[in-house]
């Protein structure tokens, strides 16, 4: 429990630091423009420098994640399965850029600066650490099992949505041209649907009932198509969703029932008797004599007599 709470604490601190690094209060713009003596014009260069306190906090978190990762690697019974695990890959990918950035920060070459710029873009991988919480929270594990079990339903939903987007984007493109002016054949003056690919975004937003309002029809025919698109979107999303909800309810019930089960204590299993001990002979004899076949009991009696005779004992 201590390791789980410590891991949860450092994950939350790391994600908070990652979000604060983008705030203007923790960023300082530095003028890196160099003076040009022989040239006539200097190219302005600016660089954003993050507050060092956030870097130190992130460094402490990375040290903890590195320690945790190394311990889990060392004590893992199956190294190959450990490497194939998606969460372990996320751990490694989230840790590595920090060390590379620290190692290349002291270099001034152009290649090092290009690599540093790429690593700063790859910083978003750190947000994937939130998936490590699935090790400690049952609800997130239930969500993961539900997503895996509902793969076919998600594919069906995507196919239905793609068909609807293609159909209604084409319909809205031609519907908005019904009221076009003769001197405006492209209808660019009174509509925003200048081509079918632009209509894809409008169709996705309308079918998912979001309705951002950045694009909307302006003719009566376009409004009719928009109404049909919204109704089709509601029906398309409503069909596969109940199956996904049922899968979630099933896995959640199983997880809760598993938590309520009492933990079984490991019972002490006595070692098996040796073949040369009298206990082994008696046990074997009793097991054989419980059988309905008399020849088996007779064979066991002969074996016991031979064993006593070899050990110098007189059978009773």
């Amino acid at each position: 429990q201590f390791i789980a709470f410590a891991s949860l604490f450092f994950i939350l601190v790391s994600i908070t630091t990652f979000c604060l690094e983008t705030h203007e209060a923790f960023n300082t713009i530095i003028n890196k423009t160099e003076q040009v003596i022989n040239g006539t014009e200097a190219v302005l260069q600016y660089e954003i420098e993050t507050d060092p306190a956030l870097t130190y906090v992130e460094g402490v978190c990375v040290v903890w994640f590195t320690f945790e990762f190394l311990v889990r690697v060392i004590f893992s019974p199956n190294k190959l399965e450990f490497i194939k695990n998606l969460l372990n890959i996320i751990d490694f990918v989230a840790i590595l850029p920090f060390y590379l950035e620290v190692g290349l920060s002291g270099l001034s070459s152009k290649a090092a600066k290009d690599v540093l710029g790429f690593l700063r873009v790859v910083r978003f991988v750190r947000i994937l650490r939130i998936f490590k919480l699935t090790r400690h929270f049952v609800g997130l594990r239930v969500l993961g099992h539900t997503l895996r079990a509902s793969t076919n339903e998600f594919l069906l939903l995507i196919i239905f949505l793609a068909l609807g987007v293609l159909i209604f984007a084409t319909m809205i493109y031609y519907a908005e041209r019904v009221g076009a002016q003769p001197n405006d054949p492209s209808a660019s003056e009174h509509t925003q649907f200048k081509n079918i690919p632009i209509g894809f975004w409008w169709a996705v937003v309308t079918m998912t009932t979001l309705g951002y309002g950045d694009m909307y029809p302006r003719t009566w025919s376009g409004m009719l198509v928009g109404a049909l698109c919204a109704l089709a979107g509601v029906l398309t999303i409503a069909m596969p969703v109940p199956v996904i909800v049922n899968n979630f309810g099933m896995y959640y019930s199983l997880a809760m029932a598993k938590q309520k089960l009492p933990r079984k204590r490991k019972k002490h299993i006595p070692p098996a008797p040796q073949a040369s001990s009298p206990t082994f002979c008696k046990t074997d004899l009793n097991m054989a004599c419980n059988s309905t076949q008399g020849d088996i009991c007779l064979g066991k009696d002969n074996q016991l007599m031979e064993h006593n005779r070899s050990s110098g004992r007189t059978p009773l």
Side-chain angles (χ1 to χ4, degrees), residues 85-123:
N85 192 355
L86 181 60
L87 293 178
N88 298 329
I89 297 175
I90 292 175
D91 288 348
F92 180 76
V93 174
I95 291 171
L96 185 60
F98 179 82
Y99 291 106
L100 293 177
E101 189 173 348
V102 172
L104 297 174
S105 59
L107 302 179
S108 59
S109 62
K110 185 178 182 301
K113 291 182 179 180
D114 294 339
V115 174
L116 282 175
F118 174 75
L119 291 176
R120 291 190 179 97
V121 176
V122 182
R123 282 180 177 179

Coordinates of all heavy atoms in Angstrom, one line a residue, residues 85-123:
N85 N 4.7 -5.9 -21.9 CA 3.6 -5.2 -21.3 C 3.5 -3.7 -21.7 O 4.6 -3.0 -21.7 CB 3.8 -5.3 -19.7 CG 2.5 -4.9 -19.0 OD1 1.5 -4.4 -19.7 ND2 2.4 -5.0 -17.7
L86 N 2.4 -3.3 -22.1 CA 2.2 -1.9 -22.6 C 2.5 -0.9 -21.5 O 3.1 0.2 -21.8 CB 0.8 -1.7 -23.1 CG 0.4 -0.3 -23.7 CD1 1.3 0.0 -24.9 CD2 -1.0 -0.3 -24.1
L87 N 2.1 -1.1 -20.3 CA 2.3 -0.1 -19.2 C 3.8 0.0 -19.0 O 4.3 1.1 -18.7 CB 1.6 -0.5 -17.9 CG 0.1 -0.5 -18.0 CD1 -0.5 -1.0 -16.7 CD2 -0.4 0.9 -18.3
N88 N 4.6 -1.0 -19.1 CA 6.0 -1.0 -18.9 C 6.7 -0.2 -20.0 O 7.7 0.5 -19.8 CB 6.6 -2.4 -18.8 CG 6.1 -3.1 -17.6 OD1 5.7 -2.5 -16.5 ND2 5.9 -4.4 -17.7
I89 N 6.2 -0.4 -21.2 CA 6.7 0.4 -22.4 C 6.5 1.9 -22.2 O 7.3 2.7 -22.4 CB 6.1 -0.1 -23.7 CG1 6.5 -1.6 -23.9 CG2 6.5 0.8 -24.8 CD1 5.9 -2.2 -25.1
I90 N 5.3 2.2 -21.7 CA 5.0 3.6 -21.4 C 5.9 4.2 -20.3 O 6.4 5.3 -20.4 CB 3.5 3.8 -21.0 CG1 2.6 3.4 -22.1 CG2 3.2 5.1 -20.4 CD1 1.1 3.4 -21.8
D91 N 6.2 3.4 -19.3 CA 7.1 3.8 -18.2 C 8.5 4.2 -18.8 O 9.1 5.2 -18.5 CB 7.3 2.7 -17.2 CG 6.0 2.6 -16.3 OD1 5.2 3.5 -16.4 OD2 5.9 1.6 -15.6
F92 N 9.0 3.3 -19.7 CA 10.3 3.5 -20.2 C 10.3 4.7 -21.2 O 11.3 5.6 -21.1 CB 10.8 2.3 -21.0 CG 12.1 2.4 -21.6 CD1 13.3 2.3 -20.8 CD2 12.3 2.6 -23.0 CE1 14.5 2.4 -21.4 CE2 13.5 2.7 -23.5 CZ 14.7 2.6 -22.7
V93 N 9.3 4.8 -22.0 CA 9.3 6.0 -23.0 C 9.1 7.3 -22.3 O 9.6 8.3 -22.7 CB 8.2 5.7 -24.0 CG1 8.0 6.9 -24.9 CG2 8.4 4.5 -24.8
A94 N 8.4 7.3 -21.1 CA 8.2 8.5 -20.4 C 9.5 8.9 -19.6 O 9.7 10.1 -19.3 CB 7.0 8.4 -19.4
I95 N 10.3 8.0 -19.2 CA 11.5 8.3 -18.4 C 12.7 8.7 -19.3 O 13.4 9.6 -19.0 CB 11.9 7.0 -17.6 CG1 10.9 6.8 -16.5 CG2 13.3 7.2 -17.0 CD1 11.0 5.5 -15.8
L96 N 12.8 8.0 -20.5 CA 14.0 8.2 -21.3 C 14.2 9.7 -21.8 O 15.4 10.2 -21.7 CB 14.0 7.3 -22.5 CG 15.2 7.3 -23.4 CD1 16.4 6.8 -22.6 CD2 15.0 6.3 -24.6
P97 N 13.2 10.4 -22.3 CA 13.5 11.8 -22.8 C 14.0 12.7 -21.7 O 14.8 13.6 -22.1 CB 12.1 12.2 -23.2 CG 11.3 11.0 -23.5 CD 11.8 10.0 -22.5
F98 N 13.7 12.6 -20.5 CA 14.3 13.5 -19.4 C 15.8 13.3 -19.4 O 16.5 14.3 -19.3 CB 13.6 13.2 -18.1 CG 14.1 14.1 -17.0 CD1 13.6 15.3 -16.8 CD2 15.1 13.6 -16.1 CE1 14.1 16.1 -15.8 CE2 15.6 14.4 -15.1 CZ 15.1 15.7 -14.9
Y99 N 16.3 12.1 -19.3 CA 17.7 11.9 -19.2 C 18.4 12.4 -20.5 O 19.5 13.0 -20.4 CB 18.0 10.4 -19.0 CG 17.6 10.0 -17.6 CD1 16.5 9.2 -17.4 CD2 18.4 10.4 -16.5 CE1 16.1 8.7 -16.1 CE2 18.0 9.9 -15.2 CZ 16.9 9.1 -15.0 OH 16.5 8.7 -13.8
L100 N 17.8 12.2 -21.7 CA 18.4 12.7 -22.9 C 18.4 14.2 -22.9 O 19.4 14.8 -23.4 CB 17.6 12.1 -24.1 CG 17.7 10.6 -24.3 CD1 16.8 10.2 -25.5 CD2 19.1 10.2 -24.6
E101 N 17.4 14.8 -22.4 CA 17.3 16.3 -22.4 C 18.4 16.8 -21.5 O 19.0 17.8 -21.8 CB 15.9 16.7 -22.0 CG 15.7 18.2 -22.2 CD 14.3 18.6 -21.9 OE1 13.4 17.7 -21.9 OE2 14.0 19.8 -21.8
V102 N 18.6 16.2 -20.3 CA 19.6 16.7 -19.4 C 21.0 16.5 -19.9 O 21.8 17.3 -19.8 CB 19.4 15.9 -18.0 CG1 20.6 16.2 -17.1 CG2 18.1 16.3 -17.3
G103 N 21.2 15.4 -20.6 CA 22.5 15.1 -21.2 C 22.9 16.0 -22.3 O 24.1 16.3 -22.5
L104 N 21.9 16.4 -23.1 CA 22.2 17.3 -24.3 C 22.0 18.8 -24.0 O 22.3 19.6 -24.9 CB 21.2 16.9 -25.4 CG 21.4 15.5 -26.0 CD1 20.3 15.2 -27.0 CD2 22.7 15.3 -26.6
S105 N 21.6 19.1 -22.8 CA 21.3 20.5 -22.5 C 22.6 21.3 -22.5 O 22.6 22.5 -22.7 CB 20.6 20.7 -21.2 OG 21.4 20.1 -20.1
G106 N 23.8 20.7 -22.1 CA 25.0 21.4 -22.1 C 25.7 21.6 -23.4 O 26.7 22.3 -23.5
L107 N 25.2 20.9 -24.5 CA 25.8 21.0 -25.8 C 25.3 22.2 -26.5 O 24.1 22.6 -26.4 CB 25.6 19.7 -26.6 CG 26.1 18.4 -25.9 CD1 25.8 17.2 -26.8 CD2 27.6 18.5 -25.7
S108 N 26.1 22.8 -27.4 CA 25.7 24.0 -28.1 C 25.7 23.7 -29.6 O 25.5 24.7 -30.4 CB 26.7 25.1 -27.8 OG 28.0 24.8 -28.2
S109 N 25.9 22.5 -30.1 CA 25.9 22.3 -31.5 C 24.5 22.3 -32.1 O 23.5 22.2 -31.3 CB 26.5 20.9 -31.8 OG 25.8 19.9 -31.2
K110 N 24.4 22.5 -33.4 CA 23.1 22.6 -34.0 C 22.3 21.3 -33.9 O 21.1 21.2 -33.7 CB 23.2 23.0 -35.5 CG 21.9 23.3 -36.2 CD 22.2 23.7 -37.6 CE 20.8 24.0 -38.3 NZ 19.9 22.9 -38.3
A111 N 23.0 20.1 -34.1 CA 22.4 18.8 -34.0 C 21.8 18.6 -32.6 O 20.7 18.1 -32.4 CB 23.4 17.7 -34.3
A112 N 22.5 19.0 -31.5 CA 22.0 18.9 -30.2 C 20.8 19.7 -30.0 O 19.8 19.3 -29.3 CB 23.1 19.2 -29.2
K113 N 20.8 20.9 -30.5 CA 19.6 21.8 -30.4 C 18.4 21.2 -31.1 O 17.3 21.3 -30.6 CB 19.9 23.2 -30.9 CG 20.9 24.0 -30.1 CD 21.2 25.3 -30.6 CE 22.2 26.1 -29.7 NZ 22.4 27.5 -30.3
D114 N 18.7 20.6 -32.3 CA 17.5 20.0 -33.0 C 17.0 18.8 -32.2 O 15.7 18.6 -32.1 CB 18.0 19.5 -34.4 CG 18.4 20.6 -35.3 OD1 17.9 21.8 -35.0 OD2 19.2 20.4 -36.2
V115 N 17.9 18.0 -31.6 CA 17.4 16.9 -30.8 C 16.6 17.4 -29.5 O 15.6 16.8 -29.2 CB 18.6 16.0 -30.4 CG1 18.1 14.9 -29.4 CG2 19.2 15.4 -31.6
L116 N 17.1 18.5 -28.9 CA 16.4 19.0 -27.8 C 15.0 19.5 -28.2 O 14.1 19.4 -27.4 CB 17.2 20.2 -27.2 CG 18.4 19.8 -26.3 CD1 19.2 21.0 -25.9 CD2 18.0 19.0 -25.1
G117 N 14.9 20.1 -29.3 CA 13.6 20.6 -29.8 C 12.7 19.4 -30.0 O 11.5 19.5 -29.7
F118 N 13.2 18.3 -30.5 CA 12.4 17.1 -30.7 C 11.9 16.5 -29.4 O 10.8 16.1 -29.2 CB 13.1 16.1 -31.6 CG 12.4 14.8 -31.7 CD1 11.3 14.7 -32.5 CD2 12.8 13.7 -30.9 CE1 10.6 13.5 -32.6 CE2 12.2 12.5 -31.1 CZ 11.1 12.4 -31.9
L119 N 12.9 16.5 -28.4 CA 12.5 16.0 -27.1 C 11.5 16.8 -26.4 O 10.7 16.3 -25.6 CB 13.8 15.8 -26.3 CG 14.8 14.8 -26.7 CD1 16.1 14.8 -25.8 CD2 14.2 13.4 -26.7
R120 N 11.5 18.1 -26.6 CA 10.5 19.0 -26.0 C 9.1 18.7 -26.5 O 8.1 18.8 -25.8 CB 10.9 20.4 -26.1 CG 12.1 20.9 -25.3 CD 12.3 22.4 -25.4 NE 13.5 22.7 -24.6 CZ 14.6 23.0 -25.1 NH1 14.8 22.9 -26.4 NH2 15.7 23.3 -24.3
V121 N 9.1 18.3 -27.8 CA 7.8 17.9 -28.4 C 7.3 16.6 -27.9 O 6.1 16.3 -27.7 CB 7.9 17.9 -29.9 CG1 6.6 17.4 -30.6 CG2 8.3 19.2 -30.5
V122 N 8.3 15.7 -27.6 CA 8.0 14.3 -27.1 C 7.6 14.4 -25.6 O 7.2 13.3 -25.1 CB 9.1 13.4 -27.4 CG1 8.8 11.9 -26.9 CG2 9.5 13.4 -28.8
R123 N 7.6 15.5 -25.0 CA 7.2 15.6 -23.6 C 5.8 15.1 -23.3 O 5.5 14.7 -22.2 CB 7.4 17.0 -23.1 CG 8.8 17.5 -22.8 CD 8.8 18.9 -22.3 NE 10.2 19.4 -22.0 CZ 10.4 20.6 -21.6 NH1 9.5 21.5 -21.5 NH2 11.7 20.9 -21.3

